[in-house]
Amino acid sequence: MSEAKIQEIRSDIEEINDLLKQAKRKKVQDLLSLEIRKLETELITLKEKETLTPMEVSPIPTTSTSAPVQKKYQVKLNVYGWDQSDKFVKVFVELKNVHTLPKEQVYCKLTDKSMELHVDNLENKDYLLVINKLLEPINVADSHWKQKTDKVVIFLAKSNPNTTWSHMTEIEKKFEDQRNNRLKPAETDKKDPQDSIMSLMKNMYETGDDEMKRMISKAWYEGQQRKKTDIMDL
């Protein structure tokens, strides 16, 4: 089912890209570009959910026969919720049966601008959630986490209490600011449509992960090939 969904999103992206090349009005081009970015983000999310990195666990030696090699998997998480109070930013991660694990198997590695949640050996899987470049610094010493029913809650203590975080990370804020700037009429009217598209693609490439960069490079290469074909046809 996931593979069919992934293929459907890819087809949507290709078709919208074709429409983007035909669009002439600036506002239409911006709307199409935003839709492409949403679909690409959804595609990456689906792919990451399916990412399982196998890793072997050494068997426990016995006096009679060797125990079979067990396989464990590392699952990288990218879905979480968050909220905040005057003192804390609270991160919510849902994992079925996580409350049944010993406390030493659920832990966080924190710096003033990042957090990693580790959940070890939950139903033969190791789970990892990494959030880098937090919007504001945190107080590591005052931060903590709790296991609840089917959920882990991380309490990130704000270094500057009583401040409100508009976003969880610097990258999210940057995306939002750039999107708002692109949609300002005073600015968009002055920009060439092609420049706007190139700026969007460049930003997505610079801030995206490896999969996003690969997709953008592929789209750029195919676009160049189409241009060469059109010239030869003339």
Side-chain angles (χ1 to χ4, degrees), residues 49-81:
K49 284 182 180 179
E50 293 188 344
T51 300
L52 294 176
T53 306
M55 56 185 189
E56 293 186 351
V57 177
S58 299
I60 300 174
T62 61
T63 55
S64 56
T65 59
S66 298
V69 175
Q70 297 179 345
K71 284 189 176 180
K72 230 175 20 169
Y73 296 92
Q74 183 182 78
V75 182
K76 292 183 179 180
L77 301 171
N78 68 336
V79 178
Y80 61 89

PDB file of all heavy atoms in Angstrom, residues 49-81:
ATOM      1  N   LYS A  49       9.493   6.386   6.888  1.00  0.00           N
ATOM      2  CA  LYS A  49       8.733   5.456   7.716  1.00  0.00           C
ATOM      3  C   LYS A  49       9.062   4.009   7.377  1.00  0.00           C
ATOM      4  O   LYS A  49       8.964   3.123   8.211  1.00  0.00           O
ATOM      5  CB  LYS A  49       7.225   5.699   7.547  1.00  0.00           C
ATOM      6  CG  LYS A  49       6.720   6.927   8.277  1.00  0.00           C
ATOM      7  CD  LYS A  49       5.225   7.068   8.106  1.00  0.00           C
ATOM      8  CE  LYS A  49       4.705   8.308   8.839  1.00  0.00           C
ATOM      9  NZ  LYS A  49       3.250   8.478   8.664  1.00  0.00           N
ATOM     10  N   GLU A  50       9.415   3.784   6.111  1.00  0.00           N
ATOM     11  CA  GLU A  50       9.726   2.426   5.670  1.00  0.00           C
ATOM     12  C   GLU A  50      11.192   2.078   5.844  1.00  0.00           C
ATOM     13  O   GLU A  50      11.615   0.961   5.590  1.00  0.00           O
ATOM     14  CB  GLU A  50       9.342   2.265   4.195  1.00  0.00           C
ATOM     15  CG  GLU A  50       7.841   2.329   3.963  1.00  0.00           C
ATOM     16  CD  GLU A  50       7.469   1.971   2.534  1.00  0.00           C
ATOM     17  OE1 GLU A  50       8.378   1.989   1.684  1.00  0.00           O
ATOM     18  OE2 GLU A  50       6.310   1.655   2.295  1.00  0.00           O
ATOM     19  N   THR A  51      12.011   3.069   6.248  1.00  0.00           N
ATOM     20  CA  THR A  51      13.455   2.832   6.358  1.00  0.00           C
ATOM     21  C   THR A  51      13.739   1.986   7.587  1.00  0.00           C
ATOM     22  O   THR A  51      13.479   2.388   8.705  1.00  0.00           O
ATOM     23  CB  THR A  51      14.221   4.168   6.475  1.00  0.00           C
ATOM     24  OG1 THR A  51      13.951   4.942   5.309  1.00  0.00           O
ATOM     25  CG2 THR A  51      15.712   3.897   6.595  1.00  0.00           C
ATOM     26  N   LEU A  52      14.280   0.838   7.360  1.00  0.00           N
ATOM     27  CA  LEU A  52      14.681  -0.059   8.444  1.00  0.00           C
ATOM     28  C   LEU A  52      16.128  -0.467   8.212  1.00  0.00           C
ATOM     29  O   LEU A  52      16.454  -1.059   7.186  1.00  0.00           O
ATOM     30  CB  LEU A  52      13.794  -1.317   8.475  1.00  0.00           C
ATOM     31  CG  LEU A  52      12.313  -1.096   8.826  1.00  0.00           C
ATOM     32  CD1 LEU A  52      11.566  -2.396   8.710  1.00  0.00           C
ATOM     33  CD2 LEU A  52      12.163  -0.520  10.214  1.00  0.00           C
ATOM     34  N   THR A  53      16.992  -0.132   9.122  1.00  0.00           N
ATOM     35  CA  THR A  53      18.404  -0.478   8.977  1.00  0.00           C
ATOM     36  C   THR A  53      18.699  -1.716   9.805  1.00  0.00           C
ATOM     37  O   THR A  53      18.725  -1.644  11.035  1.00  0.00           O
ATOM     38  CB  THR A  53      19.289   0.687   9.465  1.00  0.00           C
ATOM     39  OG1 THR A  53      18.905   1.873   8.770  1.00  0.00           O
ATOM     40  CG2 THR A  53      20.767   0.374   9.240  1.00  0.00           C
ATOM     41  N   PRO A  54      18.887  -2.869   9.178  1.00  0.00           N
ATOM     42  CA  PRO A  54      19.137  -4.092   9.960  1.00  0.00           C
ATOM     43  C   PRO A  54      20.498  -4.051  10.633  1.00  0.00           C
ATOM     44  O   PRO A  54      21.466  -3.572  10.078  1.00  0.00           O
ATOM     45  CB  PRO A  54      19.075  -5.198   8.902  1.00  0.00           C
ATOM     46  CG  PRO A  54      19.403  -4.513   7.622  1.00  0.00           C
ATOM     47  CD  PRO A  54      18.903  -3.101   7.736  1.00  0.00           C
ATOM     48  N   MET A  55      20.569  -4.547  11.837  1.00  0.00           N
ATOM     49  CA  MET A  55      21.868  -4.686  12.475  1.00  0.00           C
ATOM     50  C   MET A  55      21.856  -5.934  13.342  1.00  0.00           C
ATOM     51  O   MET A  55      20.858  -6.250  13.976  1.00  0.00           O
ATOM     52  CB  MET A  55      22.226  -3.454  13.299  1.00  0.00           C
ATOM     53  CG  MET A  55      21.249  -3.063  14.357  1.00  0.00           C
ATOM     54  SD  MET A  55      21.793  -1.531  15.096  1.00  0.00           S
ATOM     55  CE  MET A  55      20.650  -1.436  16.469  1.00  0.00           C
ATOM     56  N   GLU A  56      22.938  -6.653  13.312  1.00  0.00           N
ATOM     57  CA  GLU A  56      23.002  -7.940  13.969  1.00  0.00           C
ATOM     58  C   GLU A  56      23.323  -7.787  15.447  1.00  0.00           C
ATOM     59  O   GLU A  56      24.051  -6.904  15.862  1.00  0.00           O
ATOM     60  CB  GLU A  56      24.063  -8.829  13.317  1.00  0.00           C
ATOM     61  CG  GLU A  56      23.696  -9.238  11.900  1.00  0.00           C
ATOM     62  CD  GLU A  56      24.683 -10.234  11.334  1.00  0.00           C
ATOM     63  OE1 GLU A  56      25.720 -10.455  11.984  1.00  0.00           O
ATOM     64  OE2 GLU A  56      24.409 -10.776  10.260  1.00  0.00           O
ATOM     65  N   VAL A  57      22.747  -8.701  16.225  1.00  0.00           N
ATOM     66  CA  VAL A  57      23.017  -8.754  17.656  1.00  0.00           C
ATOM     67  C   VAL A  57      23.745 -10.050  17.935  1.00  0.00           C
ATOM     68  O   VAL A  57      23.312 -11.118  17.496  1.00  0.00           O
ATOM     69  CB  VAL A  57      21.700  -8.698  18.466  1.00  0.00           C
ATOM     70  CG1 VAL A  57      21.997  -8.833  19.951  1.00  0.00           C
ATOM     71  CG2 VAL A  57      20.979  -7.401  18.175  1.00  0.00           C
ATOM     72  N   SER A  58      24.871  -9.987  18.641  1.00  0.00           N
ATOM     73  CA  SER A  58      25.663 -11.183  18.893  1.00  0.00           C
ATOM     74  C   SER A  58      24.852 -12.184  19.693  1.00  0.00           C
ATOM     75  O   SER A  58      24.181 -11.833  20.682  1.00  0.00           O
ATOM     76  CB  SER A  58      26.930 -10.817  19.664  1.00  0.00           C
ATOM     77  OG  SER A  58      27.704  -9.920  18.909  1.00  0.00           O
ATOM     78  N   PRO A  59      24.888 -13.432  19.307  1.00  0.00           N
ATOM     79  CA  PRO A  59      24.134 -14.450  20.045  1.00  0.00           C
ATOM     80  C   PRO A  59      24.741 -14.720  21.410  1.00  0.00           C
ATOM     81  O   PRO A  59      25.944 -14.548  21.612  1.00  0.00           O
ATOM     82  CB  PRO A  59      24.240 -15.683  19.135  1.00  0.00           C
ATOM     83  CG  PRO A  59      25.498 -15.464  18.373  1.00  0.00           C
ATOM     84  CD  PRO A  59      25.599 -13.975  18.175  1.00  0.00           C
ATOM     85  N   ILE A  60      23.921 -15.144  22.340  1.00  0.00           N
ATOM     86  CA  ILE A  60      24.399 -15.483  23.679  1.00  0.00           C
ATOM     87  C   ILE A  60      25.006 -16.879  23.624  1.00  0.00           C
ATOM     88  O   ILE A  60      24.344 -17.830  23.194  1.00  0.00           O
ATOM     89  CB  ILE A  60      23.236 -15.449  24.691  1.00  0.00           C
ATOM     90  CG1 ILE A  60      22.619 -14.049  24.713  1.00  0.00           C
ATOM     91  CG2 ILE A  60      23.696 -15.888  26.081  1.00  0.00           C
ATOM     92  CD1 ILE A  60      21.383 -13.959  25.558  1.00  0.00           C
ATOM     93  N   PRO A  61      26.278 -17.013  24.003  1.00  0.00           N
ATOM     94  CA  PRO A  61      26.915 -18.333  23.911  1.00  0.00           C
ATOM     95  C   PRO A  61      26.293 -19.326  24.880  1.00  0.00           C
ATOM     96  O   PRO A  61      25.880 -18.982  25.985  1.00  0.00           O
ATOM     97  CB  PRO A  61      28.376 -18.035  24.284  1.00  0.00           C
ATOM     98  CG  PRO A  61      28.321 -16.783  25.082  1.00  0.00           C
ATOM     99  CD  PRO A  61      27.176 -15.991  24.537  1.00  0.00           C
ATOM    100  N   THR A  62      26.206 -20.577  24.483  1.00  0.00           N
ATOM    101  CA  THR A  62      25.682 -21.644  25.331  1.00  0.00           C
ATOM    102  C   THR A  62      26.696 -22.783  25.362  1.00  0.00           C
ATOM    103  O   THR A  62      27.588 -22.875  24.526  1.00  0.00           O
ATOM    104  CB  THR A  62      24.335 -22.167  24.796  1.00  0.00           C
ATOM    105  OG1 THR A  62      24.543 -22.706  23.482  1.00  0.00           O
ATOM    106  CG2 THR A  62      23.317 -21.043  24.699  1.00  0.00           C
ATOM    107  N   THR A  63      26.533 -23.679  26.289  1.00  0.00           N
ATOM    108  CA  THR A  63      27.474 -24.786  26.437  1.00  0.00           C
ATOM    109  C   THR A  63      27.209 -25.881  25.418  1.00  0.00           C
ATOM    110  O   THR A  63      28.094 -26.658  25.091  1.00  0.00           O
ATOM    111  CB  THR A  63      27.363 -25.368  27.850  1.00  0.00           C
ATOM    112  OG1 THR A  63      26.005 -25.731  28.109  1.00  0.00           O
ATOM    113  CG2 THR A  63      27.807 -24.336  28.877  1.00  0.00           C
ATOM    114  N   SER A  64      25.965 -25.935  24.902  1.00  0.00           N
ATOM    115  CA  SER A  64      25.638 -27.023  23.988  1.00  0.00           C
ATOM    116  C   SER A  64      25.719 -26.573  22.539  1.00  0.00           C
ATOM    117  O   SER A  64      26.689 -26.829  21.843  1.00  0.00           O
ATOM    118  CB  SER A  64      24.240 -27.578  24.316  1.00  0.00           C
ATOM    119  OG  SER A  64      23.290 -26.529  24.260  1.00  0.00           O
ATOM    120  N   THR A  65      24.708 -25.859  22.075  1.00  0.00           N
ATOM    121  CA  THR A  65      24.672 -25.417  20.680  1.00  0.00           C
ATOM    122  C   THR A  65      24.677 -23.903  20.624  1.00  0.00           C
ATOM    123  O   THR A  65      24.241 -23.231  21.558  1.00  0.00           O
ATOM    124  CB  THR A  65      23.403 -25.958  19.974  1.00  0.00           C
ATOM    125  OG1 THR A  65      22.264 -25.487  20.681  1.00  0.00           O
ATOM    126  CG2 THR A  65      23.410 -27.479  19.948  1.00  0.00           C
ATOM    127  N   SER A  66      25.166 -23.362  19.506  1.00  0.00           N
ATOM    128  CA  SER A  66      25.210 -21.917  19.336  1.00  0.00           C
ATOM    129  C   SER A  66      23.805 -21.370  19.110  1.00  0.00           C
ATOM    130  O   SER A  66      23.022 -21.940  18.341  1.00  0.00           O
ATOM    131  CB  SER A  66      26.092 -21.553  18.138  1.00  0.00           C
ATOM    132  OG  SER A  66      27.408 -21.990  18.354  1.00  0.00           O
ATOM    133  N   ALA A  67      23.504 -20.271  19.779  1.00  0.00           N
ATOM    134  CA  ALA A  67      22.195 -19.648  19.600  1.00  0.00           C
ATOM    135  C   ALA A  67      22.118 -19.003  18.220  1.00  0.00           C
ATOM    136  O   ALA A  67      23.122 -18.509  17.710  1.00  0.00           O
ATOM    137  CB  ALA A  67      21.969 -18.589  20.681  1.00  0.00           C
ATOM    138  N   PRO A  68      20.960 -19.011  17.589  1.00  0.00           N
ATOM    139  CA  PRO A  68      20.830 -18.385  16.270  1.00  0.00           C
ATOM    140  C   PRO A  68      21.024 -16.878  16.364  1.00  0.00           C
ATOM    141  O   PRO A  68      20.725 -16.261  17.383  1.00  0.00           O
ATOM    142  CB  PRO A  68      19.391 -18.722  15.856  1.00  0.00           C
ATOM    143  CG  PRO A  68      18.673 -18.961  17.151  1.00  0.00           C
ATOM    144  CD  PRO A  68      19.695 -19.574  18.058  1.00  0.00           C
ATOM    145  N   VAL A  69      21.555 -16.304  15.288  1.00  0.00           N
ATOM    146  CA  VAL A  69      21.764 -14.861  15.241  1.00  0.00           C
ATOM    147  C   VAL A  69      20.428 -14.152  15.129  1.00  0.00           C
ATOM    148  O   VAL A  69      19.632 -14.436  14.237  1.00  0.00           O
ATOM    149  CB  VAL A  69      22.656 -14.479  14.049  1.00  0.00           C
ATOM    150  CG1 VAL A  69      22.770 -12.960  13.949  1.00  0.00           C
ATOM    151  CG2 VAL A  69      24.030 -15.113  14.199  1.00  0.00           C
ATOM    152  N   GLN A  70      20.177 -13.257  16.055  1.00  0.00           N
ATOM    153  CA  GLN A  70      18.945 -12.474  16.019  1.00  0.00           C
ATOM    154  C   GLN A  70      19.176 -11.171  15.263  1.00  0.00           C
ATOM    155  O   GLN A  70      20.283 -10.641  15.266  1.00  0.00           O
ATOM    156  CB  GLN A  70      18.463 -12.152  17.444  1.00  0.00           C
ATOM    157  CG  GLN A  70      18.101 -13.382  18.250  1.00  0.00           C
ATOM    158  CD  GLN A  70      17.657 -13.009  19.644  1.00  0.00           C
ATOM    159  OE1 GLN A  70      17.870 -11.886  20.094  1.00  0.00           O
ATOM    160  NE2 GLN A  70      17.040 -13.944  20.338  1.00  0.00           N
ATOM    161  N   LYS A  71      18.159 -10.696  14.640  1.00  0.00           N
ATOM    162  CA  LYS A  71      18.263  -9.421  13.924  1.00  0.00           C
ATOM    163  C   LYS A  71      17.417  -8.362  14.606  1.00  0.00           C
ATOM    164  O   LYS A  71      16.273  -8.595  14.977  1.00  0.00           O
ATOM    165  CB  LYS A  71      17.813  -9.579  12.465  1.00  0.00           C
ATOM    166  CG  LYS A  71      18.837 -10.264  11.601  1.00  0.00           C
ATOM    167  CD  LYS A  71      18.446 -10.203  10.142  1.00  0.00           C
ATOM    168  CE  LYS A  71      19.542 -10.805   9.264  1.00  0.00           C
ATOM    169  NZ  LYS A  71      19.189 -10.759   7.826  1.00  0.00           N
ATOM    170  N   LYS A  72      18.049  -7.225  14.778  1.00  0.00           N
ATOM    171  CA  LYS A  72      17.355  -6.079  15.330  1.00  0.00           C
ATOM    172  C   LYS A  72      17.337  -4.991  14.278  1.00  0.00           C
ATOM    173  O   LYS A  72      18.156  -4.968  13.375  1.00  0.00           O
ATOM    174  CB  LYS A  72      18.081  -5.591  16.589  1.00  0.00           C
ATOM    175  CG  LYS A  72      17.141  -5.410  17.748  1.00  0.00           C
ATOM    176  CD  LYS A  72      17.773  -5.049  19.065  1.00  0.00           C
ATOM    177  CE  LYS A  72      19.132  -4.476  19.065  1.00  0.00           C
ATOM    178  NZ  LYS A  72      19.487  -3.932  20.407  1.00  0.00           N
ATOM    179  N   TYR A  73      16.407  -4.080  14.365  1.00  0.00           N
ATOM    180  CA  TYR A  73      16.293  -3.019  13.376  1.00  0.00           C
ATOM    181  C   TYR A  73      16.306  -1.662  14.052  1.00  0.00           C
ATOM    182  O   TYR A  73      15.765  -1.492  15.145  1.00  0.00           O
ATOM    183  CB  TYR A  73      14.995  -3.159  12.565  1.00  0.00           C
ATOM    184  CG  TYR A  73      14.935  -4.421  11.747  1.00  0.00           C
ATOM    185  CD1 TYR A  73      14.361  -5.573  12.259  1.00  0.00           C
ATOM    186  CD2 TYR A  73      15.458  -4.447  10.457  1.00  0.00           C
ATOM    187  CE1 TYR A  73      14.313  -6.733  11.505  1.00  0.00           C
ATOM    188  CE2 TYR A  73      15.411  -5.592   9.700  1.00  0.00           C
ATOM    189  CZ  TYR A  73      14.837  -6.746  10.231  1.00  0.00           C
ATOM    190  OH  TYR A  73      14.799  -7.880   9.484  1.00  0.00           O
ATOM    191  N   GLN A  74      16.940  -0.712  13.365  1.00  0.00           N
ATOM    192  CA  GLN A  74      16.892   0.666  13.843  1.00  0.00           C
ATOM    193  C   GLN A  74      15.877   1.431  12.997  1.00  0.00           C
ATOM    194  O   GLN A  74      15.966   1.433  11.769  1.00  0.00           O
ATOM    195  CB  GLN A  74      18.254   1.346  13.734  1.00  0.00           C
ATOM    196  CG  GLN A  74      18.227   2.765  14.313  1.00  0.00           C
ATOM    197  CD  GLN A  74      19.554   3.477  14.167  1.00  0.00           C
ATOM    198  OE1 GLN A  74      19.877   3.948  13.094  1.00  0.00           O
ATOM    199  NE2 GLN A  74      20.311   3.557  15.249  1.00  0.00           N
ATOM    200  N   VAL A  75      14.945   2.036  13.651  1.00  0.00           N
ATOM    201  CA  VAL A  75      13.892   2.790  12.977  1.00  0.00           C
ATOM    202  C   VAL A  75      14.085   4.275  13.282  1.00  0.00           C
ATOM    203  O   VAL A  75      14.075   4.680  14.443  1.00  0.00           O
ATOM    204  CB  VAL A  75      12.485   2.343  13.439  1.00  0.00           C
ATOM    205  CG1 VAL A  75      11.407   3.108  12.672  1.00  0.00           C
ATOM    206  CG2 VAL A  75      12.317   0.843  13.239  1.00  0.00           C
ATOM    207  N   LYS A  76      14.268   5.057  12.237  1.00  0.00           N
ATOM    208  CA  LYS A  76      14.435   6.502  12.419  1.00  0.00           C
ATOM    209  C   LYS A  76      13.060   7.169  12.413  1.00  0.00           C
ATOM    210  O   LYS A  76      12.311   7.064  11.444  1.00  0.00           O
ATOM    211  CB  LYS A  76      15.310   7.078  11.306  1.00  0.00           C
ATOM    212  CG  LYS A  76      16.746   6.604  11.384  1.00  0.00           C
ATOM    213  CD  LYS A  76      17.605   7.250  10.304  1.00  0.00           C
ATOM    214  CE  LYS A  76      19.051   6.780  10.401  1.00  0.00           C
ATOM    215  NZ  LYS A  76      19.905   7.398   9.351  1.00  0.00           N
ATOM    216  N   LEU A  77      12.754   7.846  13.492  1.00  0.00           N
ATOM    217  CA  LEU A  77      11.466   8.525  13.633  1.00  0.00           C
ATOM    218  C   LEU A  77      11.561   9.955  13.115  1.00  0.00           C
ATOM    219  O   LEU A  77      12.598  10.612  13.249  1.00  0.00           O
ATOM    220  CB  LEU A  77      11.034   8.553  15.100  1.00  0.00           C
ATOM    221  CG  LEU A  77      10.881   7.192  15.784  1.00  0.00           C
ATOM    222  CD1 LEU A  77      10.672   7.389  17.272  1.00  0.00           C
ATOM    223  CD2 LEU A  77       9.741   6.405  15.178  1.00  0.00           C
ATOM    224  N   ASN A  78      10.479  10.426  12.500  1.00  0.00           N
ATOM    225  CA  ASN A  78      10.445  11.831  12.081  1.00  0.00           C
ATOM    226  C   ASN A  78       9.083  12.472  12.368  1.00  0.00           C
ATOM    227  O   ASN A  78       8.842  13.606  11.977  1.00  0.00           O
ATOM    228  CB  ASN A  78      10.796  11.970  10.592  1.00  0.00           C
ATOM    229  CG  ASN A  78       9.731  11.380   9.699  1.00  0.00           C
ATOM    230  OD1 ASN A  78       8.980  10.507  10.126  1.00  0.00           O
ATOM    231  ND2 ASN A  78       9.654  11.821   8.457  1.00  0.00           N
ATOM    232  N   VAL A  79       8.223  11.737  13.033  1.00  0.00           N
ATOM    233  CA  VAL A  79       6.892  12.260  13.361  1.00  0.00           C
ATOM    234  C   VAL A  79       6.814  12.477  14.871  1.00  0.00           C
ATOM    235  O   VAL A  79       7.078  11.556  15.655  1.00  0.00           O
ATOM    236  CB  VAL A  79       5.789  11.287  12.902  1.00  0.00           C
ATOM    237  CG1 VAL A  79       4.410  11.821  13.302  1.00  0.00           C
ATOM    238  CG2 VAL A  79       5.847  11.090  11.384  1.00  0.00           C
ATOM    239  N   TYR A  80       6.461  13.676  15.247  1.00  0.00           N
ATOM    240  CA  TYR A  80       6.322  13.998  16.664  1.00  0.00           C
ATOM    241  C   TYR A  80       5.403  15.209  16.803  1.00  0.00           C
ATOM    242  O   TYR A  80       5.157  15.948  15.855  1.00  0.00           O
ATOM    243  CB  TYR A  80       7.686  14.294  17.301  1.00  0.00           C
ATOM    244  CG  TYR A  80       8.413  15.479  16.700  1.00  0.00           C
ATOM    245  CD1 TYR A  80       8.202  16.772  17.197  1.00  0.00           C
ATOM    246  CD2 TYR A  80       9.281  15.319  15.627  1.00  0.00           C
ATOM    247  CE1 TYR A  80       8.853  17.868  16.646  1.00  0.00           C
ATOM    248  CE2 TYR A  80       9.934  16.401  15.066  1.00  0.00           C
ATOM    249  CZ  TYR A  80       9.723  17.672  15.575  1.00  0.00           C
ATOM    250  OH  TYR A  80      10.352  18.761  15.017  1.00  0.00           O
ATOM    251  N   GLY A  81       4.897  15.400  17.997  1.00  0.00           N
ATOM    252  CA  GLY A  81       4.114  16.596  18.296  1.00  0.00           C
ATOM    253  C   GLY A  81       4.865  17.426  19.325  1.00  0.00           C
ATOM    254  O   GLY A  81       5.758  16.934  20.004  1.00  0.00           O
TER     255      GLY A  81
END
